[in-house]
Amino acid sequence: AEAPTRVSFRAARRHYALFSYTKPQLFDDFTLQTSCIVPVEDLSALVTASVSWQAQEWLQLTLFGLGAVPSLLRLSGATTSLGEYDTVPLQAQAMFEARAYF
């Protein structure tokens, strides 16, 4: 007799498209960065962006933003199928950060 299988692994196949863009030294002291994660199956998206300012040699100020973009199915009004980022609890967030280097 064969031993029963106690643990099974079923990998969920998902395909993502990742986009990223960075523009350093914008106006000498600023850096712009953005990225986007898109599940190919439903075309919802998670978009992030940040702007950093090197105010002094020892001080860096950064503003971050994060937003979820609903899938095309959700935008068309379909309720039977939801995209991966359609049910994110917060549709947008922002954060400010100040770093002081000694």
Side-chain angles (χ1 to χ4, degrees):
E2 191 174 319
T5 304
R6 294 177 186 240
V7 177
S8 64
F9 177 74
R10 207 172 106 192
R13 287 189 173 177
R14 294 196 171 132
H15 301 282
Y16 294 91
L18 305 171
F19 302 97
S20 179
Y21 177 76
T22 301
K23 176 64 177 161
Q25 297 180 348
L26 186 68
F27 304 117
D28 291 331
D29 296 336
F30 288 88
T31 299
L32 177 66
Q33 182 174 6
T34 184
S35 61
C36 183
I37 302 171
V38 180
V40 178
E41 289 85 8
D42 59 36
L43 298 178
S44 59
L46 188 62
V47 179
T48 64
S50 68
V51 176
S52 296
W53 177 37
Q54 193 71 39
Q56 300 288 330
E57 285 184 18
W58 51 270
L59 178 64
Q60 182 181 18
L61 304 173
T62 307
L63 180 64
F64 297 98
L66 172 108
V69 178
S71 66
L72 298 175
L73 290 174
R74 181 71 168 217
L75 291 175
S76 68
T79 58
T80 57
S81 178
L82 292 176
E84 187 168 339
Y85 297 119
D86 286 345
T87 57
V88 175
L90 297 172
Q91 290 299 315
Q93 288 182 312
M95 180 179 79
F96 177 75
E97 176 182 74
R99 288 186 182 193
Y101 301 96
F102 297 100

Coordinates of all heavy atoms in Angstrom, one line a residue:
A1 N 0.8 -1.2 0.0 CA 0.0 0.0 0.0 C 0.9 1.2 0.0 O 1.9 1.3 0.6 CB -0.9 0.0 1.2
E2 N 0.4 2.3 -0.6 CA 1.1 3.5 -0.8 C 0.7 4.5 0.3 O -0.4 4.5 0.7 CB 0.8 4.1 -2.1 CG 1.7 5.2 -2.5 CD 1.4 5.7 -3.9 OE1 1.2 4.9 -4.8 OE2 1.4 6.9 -4.1
A3 N 1.7 5.2 0.9 CA 1.4 6.2 1.9 C 0.6 7.3 1.4 O 0.8 7.8 0.2 CB 2.7 6.7 2.5
P4 N -0.4 7.8 2.1 CA -1.2 9.0 1.7 C -0.3 10.3 1.6 O 0.6 10.5 2.3 CB -2.3 9.1 2.7 CG -1.7 8.5 3.9 CD -0.7 7.4 3.5
T5 N -0.7 11.1 0.6 CA -0.1 12.4 0.5 C -0.6 13.3 1.6 O -1.7 13.6 1.7 CB -0.3 13.0 -0.9 OG1 0.1 12.0 -1.9 CG2 0.4 14.2 -1.1
R6 N 0.4 13.8 2.4 CA 0.0 14.7 3.5 C 0.1 16.2 3.1 O -0.6 17.0 3.6 CB 0.8 14.4 4.7 CG 0.5 13.0 5.2 CD 1.4 12.7 6.4 NE 1.3 11.4 6.8 CZ 0.9 11.0 8.0 NH1 0.6 11.9 8.9 NH2 0.7 9.8 8.3
V7 N 1.1 16.4 2.2 CA 1.3 17.8 1.8 C 1.3 17.9 0.3 O 1.9 17.1 -0.3 CB 2.6 18.3 2.4 CG1 2.9 19.8 1.9 CG2 2.7 18.3 3.9
S8 N 0.5 18.8 -0.2 CA 0.6 18.9 -1.7 C 0.8 20.4 -2.0 O 0.3 21.3 -1.2 CB -0.7 18.4 -2.3 OG -1.8 19.2 -1.8
F9 N 1.5 20.7 -3.0 CA 1.8 22.0 -3.5 C 1.2 22.2 -4.8 O 1.5 21.5 -5.8 CB 3.3 22.2 -3.5 CG 3.7 23.6 -4.0 CD1 3.5 24.7 -3.2 CD2 4.2 23.7 -5.3 CE1 3.9 25.9 -3.7 CE2 4.6 25.0 -5.7 CZ 4.4 26.1 -4.9
R10 N 0.4 23.3 -4.9 CA -0.2 23.6 -6.2 C 0.1 25.1 -6.5 O -0.4 26.0 -5.9 CB -1.7 23.4 -6.2 CG -2.3 23.1 -7.5 CD -3.8 22.8 -7.4 NE -4.5 24.0 -7.8 CZ -5.8 24.2 -7.7 NH1 -6.5 23.3 -7.0 NH2 -6.4 25.2 -8.1
A11 N 1.1 25.2 -7.4 CA 1.5 26.6 -7.7 C 0.5 27.3 -8.5 O -0.1 26.8 -9.4 CB 2.8 26.5 -8.5
A12 N 0.3 28.6 -8.1 CA -0.7 29.4 -8.8 C 0.1 30.1 -9.9 O 1.0 30.9 -9.6 CB -1.3 30.4 -7.9
R13 N -0.2 29.9 -11.1 CA 0.6 30.5 -12.2 C 0.0 31.9 -12.5 O -1.2 32.0 -12.8 CB 0.5 29.7 -13.5 CG 1.4 28.5 -13.4 CD 1.4 27.9 -14.8 NE 2.4 26.8 -14.7 CZ 2.6 26.0 -15.8 NH1 1.9 26.2 -16.9 NH2 3.5 25.1 -15.7
R14 N 0.8 32.9 -12.3 CA 0.4 34.3 -12.6 C 1.5 34.9 -13.4 O 2.6 34.7 -13.1 CB 0.1 35.0 -11.3 CG -1.1 34.5 -10.5 CD -1.6 35.4 -9.5 NE -2.8 34.9 -9.0 CZ -3.1 34.9 -7.7 NH1 -2.2 35.3 -6.8 NH2 -4.2 34.4 -7.2
H15 N 1.1 35.8 -14.3 CA 2.0 36.5 -15.1 C 1.9 38.0 -14.8 O 0.8 38.5 -14.8 CB 1.8 36.2 -16.6 CG 1.9 34.7 -16.9 ND1 3.1 34.1 -17.0 CD2 1.0 33.8 -17.1 CE1 2.9 32.8 -17.2 NE2 1.6 32.6 -17.3
Y16 N 3.0 38.6 -14.6 CA 3.0 40.1 -14.3 C 3.9 40.8 -15.3 O 4.9 40.3 -15.8 CB 3.5 40.3 -12.9 CG 2.7 39.8 -11.8 CD1 2.9 38.5 -11.3 CD2 1.7 40.5 -11.2 CE1 2.1 38.0 -10.3 CE2 0.9 40.0 -10.2 CZ 1.1 38.8 -9.8 OH 0.3 38.3 -8.8
A17 N 3.5 42.0 -15.6 CA 4.3 43.0 -16.3 C 4.8 44.0 -15.3 O 4.0 44.6 -14.6 CB 3.6 43.6 -17.5
L18 N 6.1 44.2 -15.3 CA 6.7 45.2 -14.4 C 7.3 46.3 -15.2 O 8.1 46.1 -16.1 CB 7.8 44.6 -13.5 CG 7.3 43.3 -12.7 CD1 8.5 42.7 -12.1 CD2 6.3 43.7 -11.6
F19 N 7.0 47.6 -14.8 CA 7.5 48.7 -15.5 C 8.2 49.6 -14.4 O 7.6 49.8 -13.3 CB 6.4 49.5 -16.2 CG 5.7 48.7 -17.2 CD1 4.5 48.1 -16.9 CD2 6.2 48.5 -18.5 CE1 3.8 47.4 -17.8 CE2 5.5 47.8 -19.4 CZ 4.3 47.2 -19.1
S20 N 9.3 50.2 -14.7 CA 10.0 51.0 -13.8 C 10.7 52.1 -14.5 O 11.3 51.9 -15.6 CB 11.0 50.2 -13.0 OG 11.7 51.0 -12.1
Y21 N 10.7 53.3 -13.9 CA 11.4 54.5 -14.6 C 12.0 55.3 -13.5 O 11.3 55.6 -12.4 CB 10.4 55.3 -15.4 CG 11.1 56.5 -16.0 CD1 11.9 56.4 -17.1 CD2 10.9 57.8 -15.4 CE1 12.5 57.6 -17.6 CE2 11.4 58.9 -16.0 CZ 12.3 58.8 -17.1 OH 12.9 59.9 -17.6
T22 N 13.3 55.7 -13.6 CA 13.9 56.6 -12.7 C 14.6 57.7 -13.5 O 15.3 57.5 -14.5 CB 15.0 55.8 -11.9 OG1 14.4 54.7 -11.2 CG2 15.7 56.7 -10.9
K23 N 14.4 58.9 -13.0 CA 15.1 60.1 -13.6 C 15.9 60.8 -12.5 O 15.4 61.5 -11.7 CB 14.1 61.1 -14.2 CG 14.7 62.3 -14.7 CD 15.6 62.1 -15.9 CE 16.1 63.4 -16.4 NZ 17.3 63.3 -17.2
P24 N 17.2 60.4 -12.4 CA 18.0 61.1 -11.3 C 18.5 62.5 -11.8 O 18.5 62.8 -12.9 CB 19.2 60.1 -11.2 CG 19.3 59.5 -12.5 CD 17.9 59.4 -13.1
Q25 N 18.9 63.2 -10.8 CA 19.4 64.6 -11.0 C 18.5 65.5 -11.9 O 18.9 66.2 -12.8 CB 20.8 64.5 -11.7 CG 21.8 63.8 -10.8 CD 23.2 63.7 -11.4 OE1 23.4 64.0 -12.6 NE2 24.1 63.3 -10.6
L26 N 17.3 65.4 -11.5 CA 16.3 66.3 -12.2 C 16.4 67.7 -11.4 O 16.3 67.7 -10.2 CB 14.9 65.8 -12.0 CG 13.7 66.5 -12.7 CD1 13.9 66.3 -14.2 CD2 12.4 65.9 -12.3
F27 N 16.8 68.7 -12.1 CA 17.0 70.0 -11.5 C 18.1 69.9 -10.4 O 18.1 70.5 -9.4 CB 15.8 70.7 -10.9 CG 14.7 70.8 -11.9 CD1 13.5 70.2 -11.7 CD2 14.8 71.6 -13.0 CE1 12.4 70.3 -12.6 CE2 13.7 71.8 -13.9 CZ 12.6 71.1 -13.7
D28 N 19.1 69.1 -10.6 CA 20.3 68.9 -9.8 C 20.0 68.2 -8.4 O 20.8 67.4 -8.0 CB 21.0 70.2 -9.5 CG 21.7 70.7 -10.8 OD1 22.1 69.9 -11.6 OD2 21.9 71.9 -10.9
D29 N 18.9 68.6 -7.8 CA 18.7 68.1 -6.4 C 17.5 67.1 -6.3 O 17.3 66.6 -5.2 CB 18.4 69.2 -5.5 CG 19.6 70.1 -5.3 OD1 20.8 69.7 -5.6 OD2 19.4 71.3 -5.0
F30 N 16.8 66.8 -7.4 CA 15.6 66.0 -7.3 C 15.8 64.7 -8.1 O 16.5 64.6 -9.0 CB 14.4 66.8 -7.9 CG 13.9 67.9 -7.1 CD1 14.4 69.2 -7.3 CD2 12.9 67.7 -6.2 CE1 14.0 70.2 -6.5 CE2 12.4 68.8 -5.4 CZ 13.0 70.0 -5.6
T31 N 15.1 63.7 -7.6 CA 15.0 62.4 -8.2 C 13.6 62.0 -8.3 O 12.8 62.0 -7.4 CB 15.8 61.3 -7.5 OG1 17.2 61.7 -7.4 CG2 15.8 59.9 -8.1
L32 N 13.2 61.5 -9.5 CA 11.8 61.1 -9.8 C 11.9 59.6 -10.1 O 12.7 59.1 -10.9 CB 11.2 61.8 -11.0 CG 9.8 61.4 -11.4 CD1 8.8 61.8 -10.4 CD2 9.5 62.1 -12.7
Q33 N 11.0 58.8 -9.4 CA 11.0 57.4 -9.6 C 9.5 56.9 -9.7 O 8.7 57.3 -8.8 CB 11.7 56.6 -8.5 CG 11.8 55.1 -8.7 CD 12.6 54.5 -7.7 OE1 13.1 55.1 -6.7 NE2 12.8 53.2 -7.8
T34 N 9.2 56.0 -10.6 CA 7.9 55.5 -10.7 C 7.9 54.0 -11.1 O 8.9 53.6 -11.8 CB 7.0 56.3 -11.7 OG1 5.7 55.7 -11.6 CG2 7.5 56.2 -13.1
S35 N 7.0 53.2 -10.7 CA 6.9 51.8 -11.1 C 5.5 51.4 -11.1 O 4.6 52.0 -10.5 CB 7.7 50.9 -10.1 OG 7.2 51.0 -8.8
C36 N 5.3 50.3 -11.9 CA 3.9 49.8 -12.1 C 4.0 48.3 -12.2 O 4.8 47.7 -12.9 CB 3.3 50.4 -13.4 SG 1.7 49.9 -13.7
I37 N 3.1 47.6 -11.4 CA 2.9 46.2 -11.5 C 1.6 45.9 -12.0 O 0.6 46.3 -11.5 CB 3.1 45.5 -10.1 CG1 4.4 45.9 -9.5 CG2 2.9 44.0 -10.1 CD1 4.6 45.5 -8.0
V38 N 1.5 45.1 -13.2 CA 0.3 44.8 -13.8 C 0.1 43.3 -14.0 O 0.9 42.6 -14.6 CB 0.2 45.4 -15.2 CG1 -1.1 45.1 -15.9 CG2 0.5 46.9 -15.2
P39 N -0.9 42.7 -13.3 CA -1.2 41.3 -13.6 C -1.8 41.2 -15.0 O -2.8 41.8 -15.3 CB -2.2 40.9 -12.5 CG -2.2 42.0 -11.5 CD -1.7 43.2 -12.2
V40 N -1.2 40.4 -15.8 CA -1.6 40.3 -17.2 C -3.0 39.7 -17.4 O -3.7 40.1 -18.3 CB -0.5 39.5 -18.0 CG1 -0.9 39.4 -19.5 CG2 0.8 40.2 -17.9
E41 N -3.4 38.9 -16.5 CA -4.7 38.2 -16.6 C -5.9 39.2 -16.5 O -6.9 39.1 -17.2 CB -4.9 37.1 -15.6 CG -4.1 35.9 -15.8 CD -2.7 36.0 -15.2 OE1 -2.4 37.0 -14.5 OE2 -1.8 35.2 -15.5
D42 N -5.8 40.2 -15.6 CA -6.9 41.1 -15.4 C -6.7 42.6 -15.7 O -7.6 43.4 -15.7 CB -7.5 40.9 -14.0 CG -6.5 41.3 -13.0 OD1 -5.6 42.2 -13.2 OD2 -6.5 40.6 -11.9
L43 N -5.4 42.9 -15.9 CA -5.0 44.3 -16.3 C -5.4 45.3 -15.2 O -5.6 46.5 -15.5 CB -5.5 44.7 -17.6 CG -5.0 43.9 -18.8 CD1 -5.6 44.4 -20.1 CD2 -3.5 43.9 -18.9
S44 N -5.5 44.9 -13.9 CA -5.5 45.9 -12.9 C -4.1 46.3 -12.6 O -3.2 45.7 -13.2 CB -6.1 45.3 -11.6 OG -5.4 44.2 -11.2
A45 N -3.8 47.3 -11.8 CA -2.4 47.7 -11.7 C -2.2 48.3 -10.3 O -3.1 48.9 -9.7 CB -2.0 48.8 -12.7
L46 N -0.9 48.3 -9.9 CA -0.5 48.9 -8.6 C 0.6 49.9 -9.1 O 1.6 49.4 -9.6 CB 0.0 47.9 -7.6 CG 0.4 48.4 -6.3 CD1 -0.9 49.0 -5.6 CD2 1.0 47.3 -5.4
V47 N 0.4 51.1 -8.9 CA 1.3 52.2 -9.3 C 2.0 52.9 -8.1 O 1.2 53.3 -7.2 CB 0.6 53.2 -10.2 CG1 1.5 54.3 -10.7 CG2 -0.1 52.5 -11.4
T48 N 3.3 53.1 -8.2 CA 4.0 53.8 -7.1 C 4.8 54.9 -7.8 O 5.2 54.8 -8.9 CB 4.9 52.9 -6.3 OG1 5.9 52.4 -7.1 CG2 4.2 51.8 -5.7
A49 N 5.0 56.0 -7.0 CA 5.8 57.1 -7.5 C 6.4 57.8 -6.3 O 5.9 57.7 -5.2 CB 4.9 58.1 -8.2
S50 N 7.6 58.3 -6.5 CA 8.3 59.1 -5.4 C 9.1 60.2 -6.0 O 9.6 60.1 -7.2 CB 9.2 58.2 -4.6 OG 10.3 57.7 -5.4
V51 N 9.2 61.3 -5.3 CA 10.0 62.4 -5.6 C 10.9 62.7 -4.4 O 10.4 62.8 -3.3 CB 9.2 63.7 -5.9 CG1 10.0 64.9 -6.1 CG2 8.2 63.4 -7.1
S52 N 12.2 62.6 -4.6 CA 13.2 62.9 -3.6 C 13.9 64.2 -3.8 O 14.3 64.5 -5.0 CB 14.2 61.7 -3.5 OG 13.6 60.5 -3.2
W53 N 14.2 64.9 -2.7 CA 14.9 66.2 -2.8 C 16.0 66.1 -1.8 O 15.8 65.9 -0.6 CB 13.9 67.3 -2.5 CG 14.6 68.7 -2.5 CD1 15.6 69.1 -3.3 CD2 14.3 69.7 -1.6 NE1 16.0 70.4 -3.0 CE2 15.2 70.8 -1.9 CE3 13.4 69.9 -0.5 CZ2 15.2 72.0 -1.3 CZ3 13.4 71.1 0.1 CH2 14.3 72.2 -0.2
Q54 N 17.2 66.3 -2.3 CA 18.4 66.4 -1.5 C 18.6 67.8 -1.1 O 19.3 68.6 -1.7 CB 19.6 65.9 -2.3 CG 20.8 65.6 -1.4 CD 20.7 64.4 -0.5 OE1 20.1 63.4 -1.0 NE2 21.2 64.4 0.7
A55 N 17.9 68.2 0.0 CA 17.9 69.6 0.4 C 19.2 70.1 0.9 O 19.6 71.2 0.6 CB 16.8 69.8 1.6
Q56 N 19.9 69.3 1.6 CA 21.3 69.6 2.1 C 22.1 68.3 1.9 O 21.6 67.3 1.6 CB 21.3 70.0 3.6 CG 20.5 71.2 3.9 CD 21.1 72.5 3.4 OE1 22.4 72.6 3.4 NE2 20.3 73.5 3.1
E57 N 23.4 68.4 2.1 CA 24.2 67.2 2.1 C 23.8 66.1 3.1 O 23.9 64.9 2.9 CB 25.7 67.5 2.3 CG 26.4 68.2 1.2 CD 27.9 68.4 1.4 OE1 28.4 67.7 2.3 OE2 28.5 69.2 0.7
W58 N 23.2 66.6 4.2 CA 22.8 65.7 5.3 C 21.3 65.5 5.4 O 20.9 64.8 6.2 CB 23.4 66.3 6.6 CG 23.0 67.7 6.8 CD1 23.7 68.8 6.4 CD2 21.8 68.2 7.4 NE1 23.0 70.0 6.7 CE2 21.8 69.6 7.4 CE3 20.7 67.6 8.0 CZ2 20.8 70.4 7.9 CZ3 19.7 68.4 8.5 CH2 19.8 69.8 8.5
L59 N 20.5 66.1 4.5 CA 19.1 66.0 4.6 C 18.4 65.6 3.3 O 18.6 66.3 2.2 CB 18.5 67.4 5.0 CG 16.9 67.4 5.2 CD1 16.5 66.5 6.3 CD2 16.5 68.8 5.5
Q60 N 17.6 64.5 3.3 CA 16.9 64.1 2.1 C 15.4 64.0 2.4 O 15.0 63.4 3.4 CB 17.4 62.7 1.6 CG 16.7 62.2 0.4 CD 17.2 60.8 0.0 OE1 17.8 60.1 0.8 NE2 16.9 60.5 -1.2
L61 N 14.6 64.7 1.6 CA 13.1 64.7 1.8 C 12.5 63.9 0.7 O 12.8 64.2 -0.5 CB 12.6 66.1 1.8 CG 13.3 67.1 2.9 CD1 12.8 68.5 2.7 CD2 13.0 66.6 4.3
T62 N 11.6 63.0 1.0 CA 11.0 62.2 0.0 C 9.5 62.1 0.2 O 9.0 62.0 1.3 CB 11.5 60.8 0.0 OG1 13.0 60.8 -0.1 CG2 11.0 59.9 -1.1
L63 N 8.7 62.2 -0.9 CA 7.3 62.1 -0.9 C 7.0 60.8 -1.8 O 7.3 60.8 -2.9 CB 6.6 63.3 -1.5 CG 5.1 63.2 -1.6 CD1 4.5 63.2 -0.2 CD2 4.5 64.5 -2.3
F64 N 6.3 59.8 -1.1 CA 5.9 58.6 -1.8 C 4.4 58.6 -2.0 O 3.7 59.1 -1.2 CB 6.2 57.4 -0.9 CG 7.7 57.2 -0.6 CD1 8.2 57.6 0.6 CD2 8.5 56.5 -1.5 CE1 9.5 57.5 0.9 CE2 9.8 56.3 -1.2 CZ 10.3 56.8 0.0
G65 N 4.0 57.9 -3.1 CA 2.6 57.8 -3.4 C 2.3 56.4 -3.9 O 3.2 55.8 -4.6
L66 N 1.2 55.8 -3.6 CA 0.8 54.4 -4.0 C -0.6 54.5 -4.4 O -1.4 55.0 -3.7 CB 1.1 53.4 -2.9 CG 0.6 52.0 -3.1 CD1 1.8 51.1 -3.3 CD2 -0.2 51.6 -1.9
G67 N -1.0 53.9 -5.5 CA -2.4 53.8 -5.9 C -2.7 52.6 -6.7 O -1.9 52.0 -7.4
A68 N -3.9 52.1 -6.5 CA -4.4 50.9 -7.2 C -5.3 51.4 -8.3 O -6.2 52.2 -8.1 CB -5.2 50.0 -6.2
V69 N -5.1 50.8 -9.5 CA -5.9 51.1 -10.7 C -6.8 49.9 -10.9 O -6.3 48.8 -11.1 CB -5.0 51.4 -11.9 CG1 -5.8 51.7 -13.1 CG2 -4.0 52.5 -11.6
P70 N -8.1 50.1 -11.0 CA -9.0 48.9 -11.2 C -8.8 48.3 -12.5 O -8.4 48.9 -13.5 CB -10.4 49.5 -11.0 CG -10.3 51.0 -11.0 CD -8.8 51.3 -10.8
S71 N -9.3 47.0 -12.6 CA -9.2 46.3 -13.9 C -10.2 46.9 -14.9 O -11.1 47.6 -14.6 CB -9.4 44.8 -13.7 OG -10.7 44.6 -13.3
L72 N -10.0 46.5 -16.2 CA -11.0 46.9 -17.2 C -12.3 46.3 -17.0 O -13.3 47.0 -17.3 CB -10.4 46.5 -18.6 CG -9.1 47.1 -19.0 CD1 -8.6 46.6 -20.3 CD2 -9.2 48.6 -19.0
L73 N -12.4 45.1 -16.4 CA -13.7 44.5 -16.1 C -14.4 45.3 -15.1 O -15.7 45.5 -15.1 CB -13.5 43.1 -15.6 CG -13.1 42.1 -16.7 CD1 -12.8 40.7 -16.0 CD2 -14.1 41.9 -17.8
R74 N -13.7 45.8 -14.0 CA -14.3 46.5 -13.0 C -14.8 47.9 -13.5 O -15.9 48.4 -13.1 CB -13.3 46.7 -11.8 CG -13.8 47.4 -10.7 CD -14.8 46.6 -9.9 NE -15.0 47.3 -8.6 CZ -15.2 46.6 -7.5 NH1 -15.2 45.3 -7.5 NH2 -15.4 47.2 -6.4
L75 N -14.0 48.5 -14.4 CA -14.4 49.8 -14.9 C -15.7 49.7 -15.8 O -16.4 50.6 -15.9 CB -13.3 50.4 -15.7 CG -12.1 50.9 -14.9 CD1 -10.9 51.3 -15.8 CD2 -12.5 51.9 -13.9
S76 N -15.8 48.5 -16.4 CA -17.0 48.3 -17.3 C -18.3 48.0 -16.5 O -19.3 47.9 -17.1 CB -16.7 47.2 -18.3 OG -16.6 46.0 -17.7
G77 N -18.1 47.7 -15.2 CA -19.3 47.5 -14.4 C -19.5 46.0 -14.1 O -20.5 45.7 -13.5
A78 N -18.7 45.1 -14.6 CA -18.9 43.7 -14.3 C -18.6 43.4 -12.9 O -17.7 43.9 -12.3 CB -17.9 42.9 -15.2
T79 N -19.4 42.6 -12.3 CA -19.3 42.2 -10.9 C -19.0 40.7 -10.7 O -18.7 40.3 -9.5 CB -20.6 42.6 -10.1 OG1 -21.7 41.8 -10.7 CG2 -20.8 44.0 -10.1
T80 N -19.0 40.0 -11.7 CA -18.7 38.5 -11.6 C -17.2 38.2 -11.4 O -16.9 37.2 -10.8 CB -19.3 37.7 -12.8 OG1 -18.7 38.3 -14.0 CG2 -20.8 37.9 -12.8
S81 N -16.4 39.0 -12.0 CA -14.9 38.7 -12.0 C -14.2 40.0 -11.5 O -14.5 41.1 -12.0 CB -14.5 38.4 -13.4 OG -13.1 38.2 -13.4
L82 N -13.4 39.8 -10.5 CA -12.6 40.9 -10.0 C -11.1 40.7 -10.3 O -10.6 39.6 -10.3 CB -12.8 41.0 -8.5 CG -14.2 41.3 -8.0 CD1 -14.2 41.3 -6.4 CD2 -14.6 42.7 -8.4
G83 N -10.5 41.8 -10.5 CA -9.0 41.8 -10.7 C -8.3 41.7 -9.4 O -8.8 41.9 -8.3
E84 N -7.0 41.5 -9.5 CA -6.2 41.3 -8.3 C -6.1 42.5 -7.4 O -6.1 42.5 -6.2 CB -4.8 40.9 -8.7 CG -3.9 40.5 -7.5 CD -2.6 39.9 -8.0 OE1 -2.5 39.3 -9.1 OE2 -1.7 39.9 -7.1
Y85 N -6.1 43.7 -8.0 CA -6.0 45.0 -7.2 C -7.4 45.7 -7.2 O -7.4 46.9 -6.8 CB -4.9 45.9 -7.8 CG -3.6 45.3 -7.7 CD1 -2.8 45.0 -8.8 CD2 -3.0 44.9 -6.5 CE1 -1.6 44.4 -8.8 CE2 -1.8 44.4 -6.4 CZ -1.0 44.1 -7.5 OH 0.2 43.5 -7.4
D86 N -8.4 45.0 -7.5 CA -9.8 45.7 -7.4 C -10.3 45.8 -6.0 O -11.1 46.6 -5.7 CB -10.8 44.9 -8.3 CG -10.6 45.1 -9.7 OD1 -9.9 46.0 -10.1 OD2 -11.2 44.3 -10.5
T87 N -9.8 44.9 -5.1 CA -10.4 44.9 -3.8 C -9.3 45.3 -2.7 O -9.4 45.0 -1.6 CB -10.8 43.4 -3.4 OG1 -9.7 42.6 -3.6 CG2 -12.0 43.0 -4.3
V88 N -8.4 46.2 -3.1 CA -7.4 46.7 -2.2 C -8.1 47.6 -1.2 O -8.9 48.5 -1.7 CB -6.3 47.5 -3.0 CG1 -5.3 48.1 -2.0 CG2 -5.6 46.5 -3.9
P89 N -7.9 47.5 0.1 CA -8.6 48.3 1.0 C -8.4 49.8 0.9 O -9.3 50.6 1.1 CB -8.1 47.9 2.4 CG -7.3 46.7 2.2 CD -7.0 46.6 0.7
L90 N -7.2 50.2 0.5 CA -7.0 51.7 0.3 C -6.6 51.9 -1.1 O -5.7 51.3 -1.6 CB -5.8 52.1 1.2 CG -6.0 52.0 2.7 CD1 -4.7 52.3 3.5 CD2 -7.1 52.9 3.2
Q91 N -7.4 52.7 -1.8 CA -7.1 52.9 -3.2 C -5.9 53.8 -3.4 O -5.3 53.8 -4.5 CB -8.4 53.6 -3.9 CG -9.5 52.6 -4.0 CD -9.2 51.4 -4.8 OE1 -8.6 51.5 -5.9 NE2 -9.5 50.2 -4.3
A92 N -5.6 54.7 -2.5 CA -4.4 55.5 -2.6 C -3.8 55.8 -1.2 O -4.5 55.9 -0.2 CB -4.8 56.8 -3.3
Q93 N -2.5 56.0 -1.2 CA -1.8 56.3 0.0 C -0.7 57.3 -0.3 O -0.1 57.2 -1.4 CB -1.2 55.1 0.7 CG -2.2 54.2 1.4 CD -1.5 53.0 2.0 OE1 -0.6 52.4 1.5 NE2 -1.8 52.7 3.3
A94 N -0.3 58.1 0.6 CA 0.9 58.9 0.5 C 1.7 58.9 1.8 O 1.1 58.7 2.9 CB 0.5 60.4 0.1
M95 N 3.0 59.1 1.6 CA 3.9 59.1 2.8 C 5.0 60.1 2.6 O 5.5 60.2 1.5 CB 4.4 57.7 3.0 CG 5.3 57.6 4.2 SD 6.0 56.0 4.5 CE 7.3 55.9 3.3
F96 N 5.3 60.8 3.6 CA 6.4 61.8 3.6 C 7.5 61.3 4.5 O 7.3 60.8 5.6 CB 6.0 63.2 4.0 CG 7.1 64.2 4.1 CD1 7.6 64.7 2.9 CD2 7.7 64.6 5.2 CE1 8.6 65.6 2.9 CE2 8.7 65.5 5.3 CZ 9.2 66.0 4.1
E97 N 8.8 61.4 4.0 CA 9.9 60.9 4.8 C 11.0 61.9 4.8 O 11.3 62.5 3.7 CB 10.4 59.6 4.1 CG 11.6 59.0 4.8 CD 12.1 57.7 4.1 OE1 12.7 57.9 3.0 OE2 11.9 56.6 4.6
A98 N 11.6 62.1 5.9 CA 12.8 63.0 6.1 C 13.9 62.2 6.6 O 13.8 61.5 7.7 CB 12.5 64.2 7.0
R99 N 15.1 62.2 5.9 CA 16.3 61.4 6.4 C 17.4 62.4 6.7 O 17.7 63.2 5.8 CB 16.7 60.4 5.4 CG 15.8 59.2 5.2 CD 16.5 58.3 4.3 NE 15.6 57.1 4.1 CZ 15.9 56.0 3.5 NH1 17.2 55.9 3.1 NH2 15.1 55.0 3.4
A100 N 17.9 62.3 7.9 CA 19.1 63.1 8.3 C 20.3 62.2 8.4 O 20.2 61.2 9.1 CB 18.8 63.9 9.6
Y101 N 21.4 62.6 7.7 CA 22.6 61.8 7.8 C 23.6 62.5 8.7 O 23.8 63.7 8.5 CB 23.2 61.6 6.4 CG 22.2 60.9 5.5 CD1 21.4 61.6 4.6 CD2 22.1 59.5 5.5 CE1 20.6 60.9 3.7 CE2 21.3 58.8 4.6 CZ 20.5 59.6 3.8 OH 19.6 58.9 2.9
F102 N 24.2 61.8 9.6 CA 25.2 62.4 10.5 C 26.6 62.0 10.1 O 26.9 60.9 9.7 CB 24.9 62.1 11.9 CG 23.6 62.6 12.4 CD1 22.5 61.7 12.5 CD2 23.5 63.9 12.8 CE1 21.3 62.2 12.9 CE2 22.2 64.4 13.2 CZ 21.2 63.5 13.3

